[in-house]
PDB file of all heavy atoms in Angstrom:
ATOM      1  N   SER A   1       0.801  -1.219   0.000  1.00 58.00           N
ATOM      2  CA  SER A   1       0.000   0.000   0.000  1.00 58.00           C
ATOM      3  C   SER A   1       0.836   1.272   0.000  1.00 58.00           C
ATOM      4  O   SER A   1       0.325   2.363  -0.231  1.00 58.00           O
ATOM      5  CB  SER A   1      -0.929   0.008   1.227  1.00 58.00           C
ATOM      6  OG  SER A   1      -0.145  -0.049   2.424  1.00 58.00           O
ATOM      7  N   ALA A   2       2.150   1.155   0.279  1.00 56.00           N
ATOM      8  CA  ALA A   2       3.010   2.342   0.289  1.00 56.00           C
ATOM      9  C   ALA A   2       3.178   2.943  -1.097  1.00 56.00           C
ATOM     10  O   ALA A   2       3.567   4.097  -1.235  1.00 56.00           O
ATOM     11  CB  ALA A   2       4.378   1.995   0.876  1.00 56.00           C
ATOM     12  N   GLY A   3       2.929   2.127  -2.128  1.00 58.00           N
ATOM     13  CA  GLY A   3       2.993   2.645  -3.490  1.00 58.00           C
ATOM     14  C   GLY A   3       4.348   2.555  -4.140  1.00 58.00           C
ATOM     15  O   GLY A   3       4.537   3.015  -5.262  1.00 58.00           O
ATOM     16  N   VAL A   4       5.336   1.937  -3.462  1.00 56.00           N
ATOM     17  CA  VAL A   4       6.677   1.888  -4.023  1.00 56.00           C
ATOM     18  C   VAL A   4       6.733   1.073  -5.297  1.00 56.00           C
ATOM     19  O   VAL A   4       7.536   1.330  -6.184  1.00 56.00           O
ATOM     20  CB  VAL A   4       7.674   1.349  -2.967  1.00 56.00           C
ATOM     21  CG1 VAL A   4       7.410  -0.121  -2.678  1.00 56.00           C
ATOM     22  CG2 VAL A   4       9.104   1.562  -3.434  1.00 56.00           C
ATOM     23  N   HIS A   5       5.843   0.062  -5.410  1.00 55.00           N
ATOM     24  CA  HIS A   5       5.876  -0.802  -6.593  1.00 55.00           C
ATOM     25  C   HIS A   5       5.115  -0.208  -7.772  1.00 55.00           C
ATOM     26  O   HIS A   5       5.068  -0.811  -8.835  1.00 55.00           O
ATOM     27  CB  HIS A   5       5.301  -2.176  -6.231  1.00 55.00           C
ATOM     28  CG  HIS A   5       6.017  -2.831  -5.086  1.00 55.00           C
ATOM     29  ND1 HIS A   5       7.304  -3.278  -5.177  1.00 55.00           N
ATOM     30  CD2 HIS A   5       5.617  -3.075  -3.805  1.00 55.00           C
ATOM     31  CE1 HIS A   5       7.680  -3.797  -4.009  1.00 55.00           C
ATOM     32  NE2 HIS A   5       6.669  -3.684  -3.162  1.00 55.00           N
ATOM     33  N   HIS A   6       4.511   0.954  -7.568  1.00 53.00           N
ATOM     34  CA  HIS A   6       3.767   1.583  -8.656  1.00 53.00           C
ATOM     35  C   HIS A   6       4.668   2.458  -9.531  1.00 53.00           C
ATOM     36  O   HIS A   6       4.237   2.966 -10.554  1.00 53.00           O
ATOM     37  CB  HIS A   6       2.632   2.456  -8.082  1.00 53.00           C
ATOM     38  CG  HIS A   6       1.622   1.676  -7.304  1.00 53.00           C
ATOM     39  ND1 HIS A   6       0.724   2.283  -6.445  1.00 53.00           N
ATOM     40  CD2 HIS A   6       1.369   0.349  -7.236  1.00 53.00           C
ATOM     41  CE1 HIS A   6      -0.038   1.362  -5.886  1.00 53.00           C
ATOM     42  NE2 HIS A   6       0.335   0.177  -6.348  1.00 53.00           N
ATOM     43  N   HIS A   7       5.893   2.644  -9.100  1.00 53.00           N
ATOM     44  CA  HIS A   7       6.812   3.542  -9.817  1.00 53.00           C
ATOM     45  C   HIS A   7       8.026   2.739 -10.295  1.00 53.00           C
ATOM     46  O   HIS A   7       8.843   2.305  -9.493  1.00 53.00           O
ATOM     47  CB  HIS A   7       7.261   4.683  -8.916  1.00 53.00           C
ATOM     48  CG  HIS A   7       6.112   5.474  -8.366  1.00 53.00           C
ATOM     49  ND1 HIS A   7       5.453   6.429  -9.103  1.00 53.00           N
ATOM     50  CD2 HIS A   7       5.496   5.430  -7.157  1.00 53.00           C
ATOM     51  CE1 HIS A   7       4.491   6.954  -8.372  1.00 53.00           C
ATOM     52  NE2 HIS A   7       4.493   6.368  -7.183  1.00 53.00           N
ATOM     53  N   GLU A   8       8.095   2.540 -11.581  1.00 58.00           N
ATOM     54  CA  GLU A   8       9.187   1.749 -12.144  1.00 58.00           C
ATOM     55  C   GLU A   8      10.481   2.575 -12.165  1.00 58.00           C
ATOM     56  O   GLU A   8      10.484   3.743 -12.550  1.00 58.00           O
ATOM     57  CB  GLU A   8       8.834   1.314 -13.569  1.00 58.00           C
ATOM     58  CG  GLU A   8       9.829   0.342 -14.172  1.00 58.00           C
ATOM     59  CD  GLU A   8       9.410  -0.126 -15.550  1.00 58.00           C
ATOM     60  OE1 GLU A   8       8.375   0.344 -16.038  1.00 58.00           O
ATOM     61  OE2 GLU A   8      10.114  -0.959 -16.121  1.00 58.00           O
ATOM     62  N   HIS A   9      11.576   1.954 -11.728  1.00 55.00           N
ATOM     63  CA  HIS A   9      12.895   2.589 -11.736  1.00 55.00           C
ATOM     64  C   HIS A   9      12.880   3.969 -11.069  1.00 55.00           C
ATOM     65  O   HIS A   9      13.092   4.994 -11.723  1.00 55.00           O
ATOM     66  CB  HIS A   9      13.424   2.715 -13.158  1.00 55.00           C
ATOM     67  CG  HIS A   9      13.497   1.414 -13.892  1.00 55.00           C
ATOM     68  ND1 HIS A   9      14.303   0.381 -13.488  1.00 55.00           N
ATOM     69  CD2 HIS A   9      12.840   0.973 -14.988  1.00 55.00           C
ATOM     70  CE1 HIS A   9      14.150  -0.644 -14.325  1.00 55.00           C
ATOM     71  NE2 HIS A   9      13.272  -0.313 -15.233  1.00 55.00           N
ATOM     72  N   PRO A  10      12.617   4.029  -9.774  1.00 67.00           N
ATOM     73  CA  PRO A  10      12.509   5.336  -9.123  1.00 67.00           C
ATOM     74  C   PRO A  10      13.841   6.016  -8.850  1.00 67.00           C
ATOM     75  O   PRO A  10      13.873   7.214  -8.593  1.00 67.00           O
ATOM     76  CB  PRO A  10      11.808   5.002  -7.805  1.00 67.00           C
ATOM     77  CG  PRO A  10      12.244   3.586  -7.513  1.00 67.00           C
ATOM     78  CD  PRO A  10      12.356   2.924  -8.847  1.00 67.00           C
ATOM     79  N   ASN A  11      14.967   5.266  -8.885  1.00 85.00           N
ATOM     80  CA  ASN A  11      16.265   5.847  -8.520  1.00 85.00           C
ATOM     81  C   ASN A  11      17.114   6.074  -9.760  1.00 85.00           C
ATOM     82  O   ASN A  11      17.456   5.125 -10.470  1.00 85.00           O
ATOM     83  CB  ASN A  11      17.015   4.928  -7.555  1.00 85.00           C
ATOM     84  CG  ASN A  11      16.221   4.668  -6.275  1.00 85.00           C
ATOM     85  OD1 ASN A  11      16.198   3.563  -5.780  1.00 85.00           O
ATOM     86  ND2 ASN A  11      15.575   5.682  -5.736  1.00 85.00           N
ATOM     87  N   ALA A  12      17.468   7.348 -10.016  1.00 89.00           N
ATOM     88  CA  ALA A  12      18.248   7.644 -11.213  1.00 89.00           C
ATOM     89  C   ALA A  12      18.944   8.985 -11.059  1.00 89.00           C
ATOM     90  O   ALA A  12      18.501   9.861 -10.319  1.00 89.00           O
ATOM     91  CB  ALA A  12      17.356   7.666 -12.456  1.00 89.00           C
ATOM     92  N   LEU A  13      20.064   9.128 -11.778  1.00 91.00           N
ATOM     93  CA  LEU A  13      20.706  10.424 -11.985  1.00 91.00           C
ATOM     94  C   LEU A  13      20.504  10.777 -13.453  1.00 91.00           C
ATOM     95  O   LEU A  13      20.825   9.986 -14.344  1.00 91.00           O
ATOM     96  CB  LEU A  13      22.201  10.353 -11.678  1.00 91.00           C
ATOM     97  CG  LEU A  13      22.635  10.455 -10.216  1.00 91.00           C
ATOM     98  CD1 LEU A  13      24.146  10.240 -10.123  1.00 91.00           C
ATOM     99  CD2 LEU A  13      22.264  11.808  -9.637  1.00 91.00           C
ATOM    100  N   VAL A  14      19.967  11.961 -13.709  1.00 91.00           N
ATOM    101  CA  VAL A  14      19.639  12.363 -15.076  1.00 91.00           C
ATOM    102  C   VAL A  14      20.421  13.626 -15.426  1.00 91.00           C
ATOM    103  O   VAL A  14      20.292  14.651 -14.757  1.00 91.00           O
ATOM    104  CB  VAL A  14      18.124  12.615 -15.227  1.00 91.00           C
ATOM    105  CG1 VAL A  14      17.799  13.007 -16.671  1.00 91.00           C
ATOM    106  CG2 VAL A  14      17.330  11.384 -14.823  1.00 91.00           C
ATOM    107  N   PHE A  15      21.239  13.529 -16.475  1.00 92.00           N
ATOM    108  CA  PHE A  15      22.001  14.672 -16.984  1.00 92.00           C
ATOM    109  C   PHE A  15      21.284  15.221 -18.213  1.00 92.00           C
ATOM    110  O   PHE A  15      21.143  14.516 -19.214  1.00 92.00           O
ATOM    111  CB  PHE A  15      23.413  14.257 -17.394  1.00 92.00           C
ATOM    112  CG  PHE A  15      24.290  13.804 -16.264  1.00 92.00           C
ATOM    113  CD1 PHE A  15      24.198  12.513 -15.763  1.00 92.00           C
ATOM    114  CD2 PHE A  15      25.221  14.661 -15.704  1.00 92.00           C
ATOM    115  CE1 PHE A  15      25.008  12.091 -14.725  1.00 92.00           C
ATOM    116  CE2 PHE A  15      26.039  14.248 -14.669  1.00 92.00           C
ATOM    117  CZ  PHE A  15      25.934  12.949 -14.176  1.00 92.00           C
ATOM    118  N   ASP A  16      20.849  16.453 -18.144  1.00 91.00           N
ATOM    119  CA  ASP A  16      20.338  17.146 -19.323  1.00 91.00           C
ATOM    120  C   ASP A  16      21.526  17.860 -19.956  1.00 91.00           C
ATOM    121  O   ASP A  16      22.077  18.809 -19.383  1.00 91.00           O
ATOM    122  CB  ASP A  16      19.250  18.144 -18.925  1.00 91.00           C
ATOM    123  CG  ASP A  16      18.647  18.866 -20.119  1.00 91.00           C
ATOM    124  OD1 ASP A  16      19.239  18.822 -21.215  1.00 91.00           O
ATOM    125  OD2 ASP A  16      17.593  19.493 -19.964  1.00 91.00           O
ATOM    126  N   LEU A  17      21.933  17.396 -21.146  1.00 89.00           N
ATOM    127  CA  LEU A  17      23.121  17.934 -21.803  1.00 89.00           C
ATOM    128  C   LEU A  17      22.808  19.111 -22.721  1.00 89.00           C
ATOM    129  O   LEU A  17      23.675  19.572 -23.460  1.00 89.00           O
ATOM    130  CB  LEU A  17      23.823  16.836 -22.608  1.00 89.00           C
ATOM    131  CG  LEU A  17      24.218  15.580 -21.824  1.00 89.00           C
ATOM    132  CD1 LEU A  17      24.967  14.614 -22.746  1.00 89.00           C
ATOM    133  CD2 LEU A  17      25.045  15.917 -20.602  1.00 89.00           C
ATOM    134  N   GLY A  18      21.564  19.570 -22.689  1.00 83.00           N
ATOM    135  CA  GLY A  18      21.224  20.747 -23.482  1.00 83.00           C
ATOM    136  C   GLY A  18      21.826  21.996 -22.869  1.00 83.00           C
ATOM    137  O   GLY A  18      22.490  21.950 -21.831  1.00 83.00           O
ATOM    138  N   ASP A  19      21.613  23.127 -23.517  1.00 78.00           N
ATOM    139  CA  ASP A  19      22.111  24.403 -22.994  1.00 78.00           C
ATOM    140  C   ASP A  19      20.984  25.118 -22.259  1.00 78.00           C
ATOM    141  O   ASP A  19      19.903  25.266 -22.817  1.00 78.00           O
ATOM    142  CB  ASP A  19      22.644  25.276 -24.133  1.00 78.00           C
ATOM    143  CG  ASP A  19      23.875  24.675 -24.794  1.00 78.00           C
ATOM    144  OD1 ASP A  19      24.690  24.108 -24.060  1.00 78.00           O
ATOM    145  OD2 ASP A  19      23.997  24.776 -26.021  1.00 78.00           O
ATOM    146  N   PRO A  20      21.168  25.507 -20.993  1.00 76.00           N
ATOM    147  CA  PRO A  20      22.433  25.496 -20.253  1.00 76.00           C
ATOM    148  C   PRO A  20      22.748  24.182 -19.541  1.00 76.00           C
ATOM    149  O   PRO A  20      23.844  23.990 -19.067  1.00 76.00           O
ATOM    150  CB  PRO A  20      22.230  26.623 -19.235  1.00 76.00           C
ATOM    151  CG  PRO A  20      20.764  26.622 -18.983  1.00 76.00           C
ATOM    152  CD  PRO A  20      20.116  26.253 -20.286  1.00 76.00           C
ATOM    153  N   GLY A  21      21.768  23.272 -19.388  1.00 83.00           N
ATOM    154  CA  GLY A  21      22.030  21.969 -18.802  1.00 83.00           C
ATOM    155  C   GLY A  21      21.630  21.879 -17.336  1.00 83.00           C
ATOM    156  O   GLY A  21      21.492  22.879 -16.632  1.00 83.00           O
ATOM    157  N   SER A  22      21.438  20.626 -16.883  1.00 88.00           N
ATOM    158  CA  SER A  22      21.056  20.393 -15.495  1.00 88.00           C
ATOM    159  C   SER A  22      21.409  18.967 -15.106  1.00 88.00           C
ATOM    160  O   SER A  22      21.683  18.120 -15.959  1.00 88.00           O
ATOM    161  CB  SER A  22      19.549  20.626 -15.298  1.00 88.00           C
ATOM    162  OG  SER A  22      18.791  19.674 -16.038  1.00 88.00           O
ATOM    163  N   ILE A  23      21.391  18.701 -13.799  1.00 88.00           N
ATOM    164  CA  ILE A  23      21.565  17.355 -13.260  1.00 88.00           C
ATOM    165  C   ILE A  23      20.453  17.128 -12.251  1.00 88.00           C
ATOM    166  O   ILE A  23      20.250  17.939 -11.342  1.00 88.00           O
ATOM    167  CB  ILE A  23      22.929  17.169 -12.572  1.00 88.00           C
ATOM    168  CG1 ILE A  23      24.066  17.497 -13.541  1.00 88.00           C
ATOM    169  CG2 ILE A  23      23.081  15.752 -12.037  1.00 88.00           C
ATOM    170  CD1 ILE A  23      25.433  17.526 -12.876  1.00 88.00           C
ATOM    171  N   THR A  24      19.719  16.022 -12.401  1.00 89.00           N
ATOM    172  CA  THR A  24      18.594  15.728 -11.519  1.00 89.00           C
ATOM    173  C   THR A  24      18.787  14.383 -10.856  1.00 89.00           C
ATOM    174  O   THR A  24      19.119  13.393 -11.527  1.00 89.00           O
ATOM    175  CB  THR A  24      17.270  15.723 -12.309  1.00 89.00           C
ATOM    176  OG1 THR A  24      17.065  17.006 -12.890  1.00 89.00           O
ATOM    177  CG2 THR A  24      16.093  15.398 -11.400  1.00 89.00           C
ATOM    178  N   ALA A  25      18.596  14.339  -9.549  1.00 87.00           N
ATOM    179  CA  ALA A  25      18.570  13.080  -8.809  1.00 87.00           C
ATOM    180  C   ALA A  25      17.112  12.696  -8.585  1.00 87.00           C
ATOM    181  O   ALA A  25      16.339  13.483  -8.015  1.00 87.00           O
ATOM    182  CB  ALA A  25      19.296  13.231  -7.473  1.00 87.00           C
ATOM    183  N   GLU A  26      16.714  11.520  -9.057  1.00 84.00           N
ATOM    184  CA  GLU A  26      15.349  11.039  -8.893  1.00 84.00           C
ATOM    185  C   GLU A  26      15.345   9.937  -7.839  1.00 84.00           C
ATOM    186  O   GLU A  26      16.135   8.994  -7.915  1.00 84.00           O
ATOM    187  CB  GLU A  26      14.808  10.521 -10.225  1.00 84.00           C
ATOM    188  CG  GLU A  26      14.764  11.594 -11.314  1.00 84.00           C
ATOM    189  CD  GLU A  26      14.170  11.091 -12.617  1.00 84.00           C
ATOM    190  OE1 GLU A  26      13.995   9.851 -12.740  1.00 84.00           O
ATOM    191  OE2 GLU A  26      13.877  11.919 -13.489  1.00 84.00           O
ATOM    192  N   PHE A  27      14.443  10.043  -6.865  1.00 82.00           N
ATOM    193  CA  PHE A  27      14.427   9.085  -5.762  1.00 82.00           C
ATOM    194  C   PHE A  27      13.019   9.003  -5.196  1.00 82.00           C
ATOM    195  O   PHE A  27      12.126   9.773  -5.565  1.00 82.00           O
ATOM    196  CB  PHE A  27      15.418   9.521  -4.674  1.00 82.00           C
ATOM    197  CG  PHE A  27      15.195  10.916  -4.160  1.00 82.00           C
ATOM    198  CD1 PHE A  27      14.442  11.161  -3.015  1.00 82.00           C
ATOM    199  CD2 PHE A  27      15.734  12.009  -4.829  1.00 82.00           C
ATOM    200  CE1 PHE A  27      14.229  12.444  -2.555  1.00 82.00           C
ATOM    201  CE2 PHE A  27      15.533  13.309  -4.372  1.00 82.00           C
ATOM    202  CZ  PHE A  27      14.770  13.520  -3.230  1.00 82.00           C
ATOM    203  N   MET A  28      12.819   8.062  -4.257  1.00 77.00           N
ATOM    204  CA  MET A  28      11.539   7.901  -3.592  1.00 77.00           C
ATOM    205  C   MET A  28      11.567   8.630  -2.251  1.00 77.00           C
ATOM    206  O   MET A  28      12.579   8.632  -1.551  1.00 77.00           O
ATOM    207  CB  MET A  28      11.224   6.423  -3.380  1.00 77.00           C
ATOM    208  CG  MET A  28      11.100   5.616  -4.663  1.00 77.00           C
ATOM    209  SD  MET A  28       9.762   6.184  -5.733  1.00 77.00           S
ATOM    210  CE  MET A  28       8.334   5.726  -4.735  1.00 77.00           C
ATOM    211  N   ALA A  29      10.458   9.261  -1.906  1.00 79.00           N
ATOM    212  CA  ALA A  29      10.355   9.978  -0.640  1.00 79.00           C
ATOM    213  C   ALA A  29       8.972   9.737  -0.035  1.00 79.00           C
ATOM    214  O   ALA A  29       8.019   9.381  -0.746  1.00 79.00           O
ATOM    215  CB  ALA A  29      10.577  11.471  -0.848  1.00 79.00           C
ATOM    216  N   LYS A  30       8.876   9.930   1.272  1.00 79.00           N
ATOM    217  CA  LYS A  30       7.587   9.768   1.946  1.00 79.00           C
ATOM    218  C   LYS A  30       6.687  10.953   1.626  1.00 79.00           C
ATOM    219  O   LYS A  30       7.086  12.102   1.716  1.00 79.00           O
ATOM    220  CB  LYS A  30       7.773   9.674   3.459  1.00 79.00           C
ATOM    221  CG  LYS A  30       6.459   9.499   4.229  1.00 79.00           C
ATOM    222  CD  LYS A  30       6.672   9.590   5.710  1.00 79.00           C
ATOM    223  CE  LYS A  30       5.329   9.469   6.446  1.00 79.00           C
ATOM    224  NZ  LYS A  30       4.394  10.548   6.081  1.00 79.00           N
ATOM    225  N   GLN A  31       5.458  10.646   1.267  1.00 78.00           N
ATOM    226  CA  GLN A  31       4.476  11.690   1.054  1.00 78.00           C
ATOM    227  C   GLN A  31       3.932  12.162   2.405  1.00 78.00           C
ATOM    228  O   GLN A  31       3.821  11.376   3.347  1.00 78.00           O
ATOM    229  CB  GLN A  31       3.325  11.171   0.186  1.00 78.00           C
ATOM    230  CG  GLN A  31       3.752  10.729  -1.198  1.00 78.00           C
ATOM    231  CD  GLN A  31       2.576  10.330  -2.062  1.00 78.00           C
ATOM    232  OE1 GLN A  31       1.495  10.907  -1.970  1.00 78.00           O
ATOM    233  NE2 GLN A  31       2.774   9.323  -2.901  1.00 78.00           N
ATOM    234  N   PRO A  32       3.606  13.448   2.514  1.00 82.00           N
ATOM    235  CA  PRO A  32       3.040  13.941   3.773  1.00 82.00           C
ATOM    236  C   PRO A  32       1.748  13.215   4.128  1.00 82.00           C
ATOM    237  O   PRO A  32       0.945  12.889   3.254  1.00 82.00           O
ATOM    238  CB  PRO A  32       2.772  15.426   3.478  1.00 82.00           C
ATOM    239  CG  PRO A  32       3.664  15.760   2.340  1.00 82.00           C
ATOM    240  CD  PRO A  32       3.771  14.513   1.515  1.00 82.00           C
ATOM    241  N   GLY A  33       1.583  12.939   5.394  1.00 75.00           N
ATOM    242  CA  GLY A  33       0.353  12.282   5.837  1.00 75.00           C
ATOM    243  C   GLY A  33       0.601  11.290   6.936  1.00 75.00           C
ATOM    244  O   GLY A  33       1.738  11.081   7.384  1.00 75.00           O
ATOM    245  N   ALA A  34      -0.470  10.632   7.348  1.00 76.00           N
ATOM    246  CA  ALA A  34      -0.412   9.724   8.493  1.00 76.00           C
ATOM    247  C   ALA A  34       0.104   8.342   8.135  1.00 76.00           C
ATOM    248  O   ALA A  34       0.431   7.545   9.024  1.00 76.00           O
ATOM    249  CB  ALA A  34      -1.798   9.606   9.133  1.00 76.00           C
ATOM    250  N   THR A  35       0.176   8.016   6.848  1.00 73.00           N
ATOM    251  CA  THR A  35       0.629   6.684   6.442  1.00 73.00           C
ATOM    252  C   THR A  35       1.985   6.771   5.747  1.00 73.00           C
ATOM    253  O   THR A  35       2.402   7.839   5.288  1.00 73.00           O
ATOM    254  CB  THR A  35      -0.386   6.038   5.483  1.00 73.00           C
ATOM    255  OG1 THR A  35      -0.477   6.847   4.297  1.00 73.00           O
ATOM    256  CG2 THR A  35      -1.764   5.933   6.141  1.00 73.00           C
ATOM    257  N   MET A  36       2.659   5.605   5.646  1.00 74.00           N
ATOM    258  CA  MET A  36       3.950   5.529   4.962  1.00 74.00           C
ATOM    259  C   MET A  36       3.716   5.338   3.462  1.00 74.00           C
ATOM    260  O   MET A  36       3.962   4.282   2.888  1.00 74.00           O
ATOM    261  CB  MET A  36       4.791   4.394   5.533  1.00 74.00           C
ATOM    262  CG  MET A  36       6.170   4.264   4.893  1.00 74.00           C
ATOM    263  SD  MET A  36       7.169   5.770   4.972  1.00 74.00           S
ATOM    264  CE  MET A  36       7.750   5.667   6.663  1.00 74.00           C
ATOM    265  N   ALA A  37       3.196   6.395   2.842  1.00 76.00           N
ATOM    266  CA  ALA A  37       2.978   6.367   1.397  1.00 76.00           C
ATOM    267  C   ALA A  37       4.160   7.038   0.709  1.00 76.00           C
ATOM    268  O   ALA A  37       4.586   8.119   1.111  1.00 76.00           O
ATOM    269  CB  ALA A  37       1.681   7.081   1.041  1.00 76.00           C
TER     270      ALA A  37
END
């Protein structure tokens, strides 16, 4: 019920090589609320 299996490949580093460019870390985090979603 936490929803972790609903998101395929949640952990990644993404380099945008366009101009000007960026680096993004993608990960799983707890959503606000009373449950471990």
Side-chain angles (χ1 to χ4, degrees):
S1 60
V4 69
H5 303 292
H6 298 164
H7 303 281
E8 187 177 2
H9 304 297
N11 301 139
L13 278 175
V14 181
F15 294 81
D16 182 345
L17 304 183
D19 294 322
S22 65
I23 303 172
T24 299
E26 299 183 349
F27 55 95
M28 298 298 292
K30 180 187 178 299
Q31 298 185 35
T35 62
M36 181 56 79

